[in-house]
């Protein structure tokens, strides 16, 4: 799911960048004065910077959320692993004790023979 979100974000950024570049080229070839063209380019650059800043903020927020989610999942897995390991340890101790008991019974039978 995260890979898909990254692809969507990248596609959105590419579309936005293409639109900005297209607008810039259109302004450069438009039949107007140089002063007006420079002013328009400056305005578009400021808008593009604002949009890019918003996109960076959105991506940063998404990454922070993703890292937090991964941390929570990791903590859950560690706890589950501890529970499983504790249960397996108890089972192993029980089996060892049972094996020792059976061995002792077998020794007793052998000594009687």
């Amino acid at each position: 799911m995260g890979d898909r979100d990254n692809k969507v974000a990248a596609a959105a950024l590419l579309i936005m960048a293409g639109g900005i570049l297209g607008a810039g080229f259109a302004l450069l070839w438009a039949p107007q004065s140089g002063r007006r063209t420079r002013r328009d380019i400056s305005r578009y650059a400021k808008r593009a910077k604002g949009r890019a800043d918003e996109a960076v903020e959105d991506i940063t927020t998404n990454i922070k959320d993703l890292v937090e989610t991964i941390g929570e999942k990791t903590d859950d897995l560690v706890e589950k692993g501890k529970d499983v390991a504790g249960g397996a340890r108890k089972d192993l101790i029980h089996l060892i004790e049972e094996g020792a008991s059976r061995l002792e019974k077998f020794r007793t039978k052998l000594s009687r023979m």
Side-chain angles (χ1 to χ4, degrees):
M1 179 102 179
D3 190 37
R4 183 173 184 257
D5 291 340
N6 289 341
K7 288 180 182 178
V8 169
L13 287 174
L14 288 174
I15 289 171
M16 188 170 43
I20 292 169
L21 288 174
F25 283 122
L27 286 173
L28 290 174
W29 285 306
Q32 58 186 352
S33 70
R35 175 178 285 160
R36 186 170 175 198
T37 301
R38 286 189 296 275
R39 186 185 70 222
D40 289 346
I41 290 173
S42 176
R43 282 186 200 157
Y44 285 115
K46 287 177 185 176
R47 286 183 194 159
K49 182 184 180 304
R51 289 178 184 159
D53 289 343
E54 289 174 7
V56 166
E57 187 175 324
D58 288 345
I59 290 171
T60 302
T61 301
N62 289 340
I63 290 173
K64 285 180 182 177
D65 292 345
L66 180 64
V67 167
E68 185 177 312
T69 301
I70 289 172
E72 290 171 358
K73 296 291 183 183
T74 302
D75 291 343
D76 290 345
L77 286 173
V78 167
E79 287 301 316
K80 287 180 182 178
K82 286 179 181 178
D83 291 344
V84 168
R89 181 176 175 263
K90 288 178 185 176
D91 290 344
L92 183 59
I93 290 171
H94 175 72
L95 289 172
I96 290 171
E97 289 171 351
E98 187 177 319
S101 173
R102 288 184 180 182
L103 183 61
E104 189 60 37
K105 287 179 184 178
F106 186 69
R107 281 186 187 164
T108 305
K109 280 184 181 181
L110 283 178
S111 65
R112 289 183 187 164
M113 292 180 151

